[in-house]
PDB file of all heavy atoms in Angstrom:
ATOM      1  N   PHE O  74      91.995  92.819 103.913  1.00 98.00           N
ATOM      2  CA  PHE O  74      92.468  93.761 102.894  1.00 98.00           C
ATOM      3  C   PHE O  74      91.672  93.515 101.605  1.00 98.00           C
ATOM      4  O   PHE O  74      92.057  92.699 100.769  1.00 98.00           O
ATOM      5  CB  PHE O  74      93.966  93.584 102.660  1.00 98.00           C
ATOM      6  CG  PHE O  74      94.578  94.704 101.860  1.00 98.00           C
ATOM      7  CD1 PHE O  74      94.839  95.932 102.444  1.00 98.00           C
ATOM      8  CD2 PHE O  74      94.878  94.537 100.515  1.00 98.00           C
ATOM      9  CE1 PHE O  74      95.387  96.968 101.717  1.00 98.00           C
ATOM     10  CE2 PHE O  74      95.439  95.570  99.776  1.00 98.00           C
ATOM     11  CZ  PHE O  74      95.691  96.792 100.379  1.00 98.00           C
ATOM     12  N   PRO O  75      90.554  94.215 101.443  1.00 97.00           N
ATOM     13  CA  PRO O  75      89.675  93.948 100.294  1.00 97.00           C
ATOM     14  C   PRO O  75      90.151  94.629  99.018  1.00 97.00           C
ATOM     15  O   PRO O  75      90.919  95.594  99.053  1.00 97.00           O
ATOM     16  CB  PRO O  75      88.337  94.543 100.758  1.00 97.00           C
ATOM     17  CG  PRO O  75      88.736  95.678 101.661  1.00 97.00           C
ATOM     18  CD  PRO O  75      89.996  95.229 102.357  1.00 97.00           C
ATOM     19  N   GLY O  76      89.689  94.099  97.886  1.00 98.00           N
ATOM     20  CA  GLY O  76      89.919  94.760  96.615  1.00 98.00           C
ATOM     21  C   GLY O  76      91.107  94.244  95.819  1.00 98.00           C
ATOM     22  O   GLY O  76      91.559  94.905  94.889  1.00 98.00           O
ATOM     23  N   VAL O  77      91.613  93.046  96.162  1.00 98.00           N
ATOM     24  CA  VAL O  77      92.730  92.460  95.413  1.00 98.00           C
ATOM     25  C   VAL O  77      92.332  91.056  94.954  1.00 98.00           C
ATOM     26  O   VAL O  77      91.863  90.241  95.747  1.00 98.00           O
ATOM     27  CB  VAL O  77      94.016  92.364  96.255  1.00 98.00           C
ATOM     28  CG1 VAL O  77      95.135  91.686  95.451  1.00 98.00           C
ATOM     29  CG2 VAL O  77      94.461  93.739  96.722  1.00 98.00           C
ATOM     30  N   PHE O  78      92.510  90.800  93.668  1.00 98.00           N
ATOM     31  CA  PHE O  78      92.321  89.456  93.114  1.00 98.00           C
ATOM     32  C   PHE O  78      93.628  89.062  92.443  1.00 98.00           C
ATOM     33  O   PHE O  78      94.178  89.817  91.636  1.00 98.00           O
ATOM     34  CB  PHE O  78      91.185  89.442  92.087  1.00 98.00           C
ATOM     35  CG  PHE O  78      91.092  88.156  91.306  1.00 98.00           C
ATOM     36  CD1 PHE O  78      90.430  87.052  91.832  1.00 98.00           C
ATOM     37  CD2 PHE O  78      91.669  88.044  90.046  1.00 98.00           C
ATOM     38  CE1 PHE O  78      90.350  85.866  91.114  1.00 98.00           C
ATOM     39  CE2 PHE O  78      91.597  86.860  89.323  1.00 98.00           C
ATOM     40  CZ  PHE O  78      90.932  85.771  89.860  1.00 98.00           C
ATOM     41  N   HIS O 173     101.031 105.864  93.973  1.00 96.00           N
ATOM     42  CA  HIS O 173     100.119 106.706  93.207  1.00 96.00           C
ATOM     43  C   HIS O 173      98.759 106.045  93.081  1.00 96.00           C
ATOM     44  O   HIS O 173      98.611 104.840  93.288  1.00 96.00           O
ATOM     45  CB  HIS O 173     100.685 106.950  91.800  1.00 96.00           C
ATOM     46  CG  HIS O 173     100.713 105.709  90.949  1.00 96.00           C
ATOM     47  ND1 HIS O 173     101.651 104.712  91.121  1.00 96.00           N
ATOM     48  CD2 HIS O 173      99.903 105.293  89.930  1.00 96.00           C
ATOM     49  CE1 HIS O 173     101.426 103.736  90.261  1.00 96.00           C
ATOM     50  NE2 HIS O 173     100.360 104.064  89.530  1.00 96.00           N
ATOM     51  N   PHE O 174      97.773 106.858  92.739  1.00 97.00           N
ATOM     52  CA  PHE O 174      96.461 106.378  92.307  1.00 97.00           C
ATOM     53  C   PHE O 174      96.405 106.483  90.784  1.00 97.00           C
ATOM     54  O   PHE O 174      96.882 107.466  90.214  1.00 97.00           O
ATOM     55  CB  PHE O 174      95.324 107.234  92.869  1.00 97.00           C
ATOM     56  CG  PHE O 174      95.145 107.157  94.359  1.00 97.00           C
ATOM     57  CD1 PHE O 174      95.393 108.262  95.147  1.00 97.00           C
ATOM     58  CD2 PHE O 174      94.697 105.995  94.963  1.00 97.00           C
ATOM     59  CE1 PHE O 174      95.218 108.214  96.525  1.00 97.00           C
ATOM     60  CE2 PHE O 174      94.524 105.929  96.331  1.00 97.00           C
ATOM     61  CZ  PHE O 174      94.775 107.036  97.111  1.00 97.00           C
ATOM     62  N   GLU O 182      86.593 101.144  87.416  1.00 97.00           N
ATOM     63  CA  GLU O 182      86.751 100.490  88.709  1.00 97.00           C
ATOM     64  C   GLU O 182      87.938  99.543  88.781  1.00 97.00           C
ATOM     65  O   GLU O 182      88.658  99.511  89.775  1.00 97.00           O
ATOM     66  CB  GLU O 182      85.452  99.700  89.011  1.00 97.00           C
ATOM     67  CG  GLU O 182      85.530  98.705  90.149  1.00 97.00           C
ATOM     68  CD  GLU O 182      85.321  99.314  91.523  1.00 97.00           C
ATOM     69  OE1 GLU O 182      84.998 100.513  91.596  1.00 97.00           O
ATOM     70  OE2 GLU O 182      85.480  98.582  92.518  1.00 97.00           O
ATOM     71  N   LEU O 184      91.560  97.812  87.729  1.00 98.00           N
ATOM     72  CA  LEU O 184      92.877  97.897  87.098  1.00 98.00           C
ATOM     73  C   LEU O 184      93.431  96.484  87.000  1.00 98.00           C
ATOM     74  O   LEU O 184      93.501  95.772  88.011  1.00 98.00           O
ATOM     75  CB  LEU O 184      93.827  98.766  87.918  1.00 98.00           C
ATOM     76  CG  LEU O 184      93.382 100.196  88.237  1.00 98.00           C
ATOM     77  CD1 LEU O 184      94.422 100.873  89.126  1.00 98.00           C
ATOM     78  CD2 LEU O 184      93.162 100.994  86.962  1.00 98.00           C
ATOM     79  N   MET O 197     101.495  98.606  98.797  1.00 97.00           N
ATOM     80  CA  MET O 197     100.277  99.402  98.990  1.00 97.00           C
ATOM     81  C   MET O 197     100.430 100.299 100.226  1.00 97.00           C
ATOM     82  O   MET O 197     100.857  99.831 101.293  1.00 97.00           O
ATOM     83  CB  MET O 197      99.068  98.485  99.174  1.00 97.00           C
ATOM     84  CG  MET O 197      98.971  97.351  98.154  1.00 97.00           C
ATOM     85  SD  MET O 197      98.605  97.900  96.473  1.00 97.00           S
ATOM     86  CE  MET O 197      96.922  98.509  96.670  1.00 97.00           C
ATOM     87  N   VAL O 265      94.272  92.052  89.928  1.00 98.00           N
ATOM     88  CA  VAL O 265      93.203  93.036  89.712  1.00 98.00           C
ATOM     89  C   VAL O 265      93.053  93.855  90.984  1.00 98.00           C
ATOM     90  O   VAL O 265      92.915  93.301  92.074  1.00 98.00           O
ATOM     91  CB  VAL O 265      91.853  92.353  89.377  1.00 98.00           C
ATOM     92  CG1 VAL O 265      90.784  93.400  89.076  1.00 98.00           C
ATOM     93  CG2 VAL O 265      92.003  91.386  88.200  1.00 98.00           C
ATOM     94  N   LEU O 266      93.078  95.178  90.860  1.00 98.00           N
ATOM     95  CA  LEU O 266      92.809  96.075  91.974  1.00 98.00           C
ATOM     96  C   LEU O 266      91.450  96.726  91.746  1.00 98.00           C
ATOM     97  O   LEU O 266      91.169  97.227  90.656  1.00 98.00           O
ATOM     98  CB  LEU O 266      93.885  97.171  92.082  1.00 98.00           C
ATOM     99  CG  LEU O 266      95.327  96.722  92.273  1.00 98.00           C
ATOM    100  CD1 LEU O 266      96.245  97.935  92.411  1.00 98.00           C
ATOM    101  CD2 LEU O 266      95.472  95.809  93.495  1.00 98.00           C
ATOM    102  N   TYR O 267      90.611  96.727  92.790  1.00 98.00           N
ATOM    103  CA  TYR O 267      89.280  97.330  92.700  1.00 98.00           C
ATOM    104  C   TYR O 267      88.857  97.766  94.096  1.00 98.00           C
ATOM    105  O   TYR O 267      89.533  97.460  95.088  1.00 98.00           O
ATOM    106  CB  TYR O 267      88.273  96.332  92.103  1.00 98.00           C
ATOM    107  CG  TYR O 267      88.106  95.057  92.908  1.00 98.00           C
ATOM    108  CD1 TYR O 267      87.074  94.915  93.827  1.00 98.00           C
ATOM    109  CD2 TYR O 267      88.998  93.995  92.762  1.00 98.00           C
ATOM    110  CE1 TYR O 267      86.924  93.746  94.567  1.00 98.00           C
ATOM    111  CE2 TYR O 267      88.868  92.832  93.484  1.00 98.00           C
ATOM    112  CZ  TYR O 267      87.824  92.710  94.400  1.00 98.00           C
ATOM    113  OH  TYR O 267      87.685  91.563  95.144  1.00 98.00           O
ATOM    114  N   GLY O 268      87.756  98.475  94.209  1.00 97.00           N
ATOM    115  CA  GLY O 268      87.269  98.884  95.529  1.00 97.00           C
ATOM    116  C   GLY O 268      88.296  99.671  96.308  1.00 97.00           C
ATOM    117  O   GLY O 268      88.948 100.579  95.790  1.00 97.00           O
ATOM    118  N   ASP O 269      88.481  99.336  97.590  1.00 97.00           N
ATOM    119  CA  ASP O 269      89.423 100.063  98.452  1.00 97.00           C
ATOM    120  C   ASP O 269      90.848 100.022  97.918  1.00 97.00           C
ATOM    121  O   ASP O 269      91.588 101.005  98.011  1.00 97.00           O
ATOM    122  CB  ASP O 269      89.398  99.481  99.876  1.00 97.00           C
ATOM    123  CG  ASP O 269      88.218  99.982 100.693  1.00 97.00           C
ATOM    124  OD1 ASP O 269      87.436 100.799 100.162  1.00 97.00           O
ATOM    125  OD2 ASP O 269      88.077  99.568 101.858  1.00 97.00           O
ATOM    126  N   ALA O 270      91.260  98.880  97.376  1.00 98.00           N
ATOM    127  CA  ALA O 270      92.618  98.771  96.859  1.00 98.00           C
ATOM    128  C   ALA O 270      92.837  99.668  95.644  1.00 98.00           C
ATOM    129  O   ALA O 270      93.980 100.018  95.317  1.00 98.00           O
ATOM    130  CB  ALA O 270      92.936  97.316  96.496  1.00 98.00           C
ATOM    131  N   ARG O 271      91.783 100.069  95.012  1.00 98.00           N
ATOM    132  CA  ARG O 271      91.855 100.958  93.844  1.00 98.00           C
ATOM    133  C   ARG O 271      91.759 102.427  94.239  1.00 98.00           C
ATOM    134  O   ARG O 271      92.492 103.274  93.719  1.00 98.00           O
ATOM    135  CB  ARG O 271      90.713 100.585  92.882  1.00 98.00           C
ATOM    136  CG  ARG O 271      90.326 101.648  91.838  1.00 98.00           C
ATOM    137  CD  ARG O 271      91.282 101.648  90.674  1.00 98.00           C
ATOM    138  NE  ARG O 271      90.740 102.363  89.539  1.00 98.00           N
ATOM    139  CZ  ARG O 271      91.076 103.588  89.176  1.00 98.00           C
ATOM    140  NH1 ARG O 271      91.969 104.259  89.884  1.00 98.00           N
ATOM    141  NH2 ARG O 271      90.553 104.157  88.102  1.00 98.00           N
ATOM    142  N   TYR O 272      90.840 102.734  95.168  1.00 97.00           N
ATOM    143  CA  TYR O 272      90.506 104.132  95.454  1.00 97.00           C
ATOM    144  C   TYR O 272      91.031 104.659  96.789  1.00 97.00           C
ATOM    145  O   TYR O 272      91.131 105.861  96.987  1.00 97.00           O
ATOM    146  CB  TYR O 272      88.987 104.333  95.418  1.00 97.00           C
ATOM    147  CG  TYR O 272      88.381 104.071  94.055  1.00 97.00           C
ATOM    148  CD1 TYR O 272      87.535 102.992  93.851  1.00 97.00           C
ATOM    149  CD2 TYR O 272      88.681 104.898  92.975  1.00 97.00           C
ATOM    150  CE1 TYR O 272      86.967 102.757  92.598  1.00 97.00           C
ATOM    151  CE2 TYR O 272      88.120 104.658  91.722  1.00 97.00           C
ATOM    152  CZ  TYR O 272      87.271 103.589  91.544  1.00 97.00           C
ATOM    153  OH  TYR O 272      86.728 103.356  90.306  1.00 97.00           O
ATOM    154  N   LYS O 273      91.378 103.768  97.725  1.00 97.00           N
ATOM    155  CA  LYS O 273      91.838 104.201  99.046  1.00 97.00           C
ATOM    156  C   LYS O 273      93.343 103.995  99.218  1.00 97.00           C
ATOM    157  O   LYS O 273      94.009 104.779  99.903  1.00 97.00           O
ATOM    158  CB  LYS O 273      91.083 103.437 100.137  1.00 97.00           C
ATOM    159  CG  LYS O 273      91.456 103.848 101.551  1.00 97.00           C
ATOM    160  CD  LYS O 273      90.617 103.101 102.591  1.00 97.00           C
ATOM    161  CE  LYS O 273      91.022 103.488 104.011  1.00 97.00           C
ATOM    162  NZ  LYS O 273      90.218 102.747 105.030  1.00 97.00           N
ATOM    163  N   TRP O 274      93.874 102.952  98.607  1.00 98.00           N
ATOM    164  CA  TRP O 274      95.282 102.595  98.770  1.00 98.00           C
ATOM    165  C   TRP O 274      96.073 102.920  97.508  1.00 98.00           C
ATOM    166  O   TRP O 274      95.686 102.539  96.409  1.00 98.00           O
ATOM    167  CB  TRP O 274      95.427 101.101  99.087  1.00 98.00           C
ATOM    168  CG  TRP O 274      94.884 100.722 100.420  1.00 98.00           C
ATOM    169  CD1 TRP O 274      93.572 100.519 100.760  1.00 98.00           C
ATOM    170  CD2 TRP O 274      95.635 100.523 101.627  1.00 98.00           C
ATOM    171  NE1 TRP O 274      93.467 100.196 102.083  1.00 98.00           N
ATOM    172  CE2 TRP O 274      94.712 100.193 102.647  1.00 98.00           C
ATOM    173  CE3 TRP O 274      96.989 100.569 101.930  1.00 98.00           C
ATOM    174  CZ2 TRP O 274      95.109  99.920 103.951  1.00 98.00           C
ATOM    175  CZ3 TRP O 274      97.398 100.304 103.223  1.00 98.00           C
ATOM    176  CH2 TRP O 274      96.460  99.977 104.226  1.00 98.00           C
ATOM    177  N   LYS O 275      97.189 103.621  97.676  1.00 98.00           N
ATOM    178  CA  LYS O 275      98.098 103.862  96.560  1.00 98.00           C
ATOM    179  C   LYS O 275      98.928 102.603  96.317  1.00 98.00           C
ATOM    180  O   LYS O 275      99.166 101.815  97.231  1.00 98.00           O
ATOM    181  CB  LYS O 275      99.035 105.030  96.877  1.00 98.00           C
ATOM    182  CG  LYS O 275      98.339 106.379  96.964  1.00 98.00           C
ATOM    183  CD  LYS O 275      99.348 107.483  97.264  1.00 98.00           C
ATOM    184  CE  LYS O 275      98.674 108.847  97.302  1.00 98.00           C
ATOM    185  NZ  LYS O 275      99.650 109.936  97.595  1.00 98.00           N
ATOM    186  N   HIS O 276      99.370 102.418  95.079  1.00 98.00           N
ATOM    187  CA  HIS O 276     100.244 101.281  94.777  1.00 98.00           C
ATOM    188  C   HIS O 276     101.560 101.768  94.193  1.00 98.00           C
ATOM    189  O   HIS O 276     101.636 102.820  93.558  1.00 98.00           O
ATOM    190  CB  HIS O 276      99.566 100.283  93.833  1.00 98.00           C
ATOM    191  CG  HIS O 276      99.069 100.854  92.543  1.00 98.00           C
ATOM    192  ND1 HIS O 276      97.867 101.526  92.417  1.00 98.00           N
ATOM    193  CD2 HIS O 276      99.620 100.862  91.299  1.00 98.00           C
ATOM    194  CE1 HIS O 276      97.686 101.907  91.173  1.00 98.00           C
ATOM    195  NE2 HIS O 276      98.738 101.520  90.462  1.00 98.00           N
TER     196      HIS O 276
END
Side-chain angles (χ1 to χ4, degrees):
F74 193 77
V77 177
F78 170 83
H173 68 284
F174 293 113
E182 167 83 6
L184 304 177
M197 313 291 292
V265 183
L266 301 182
Y267 60 96
D269 280 359
R271 161 80 164 102
Y272 297 113
K273 182 177 178 181
W274 293 79
K275 292 181 178 180
H276 55 279

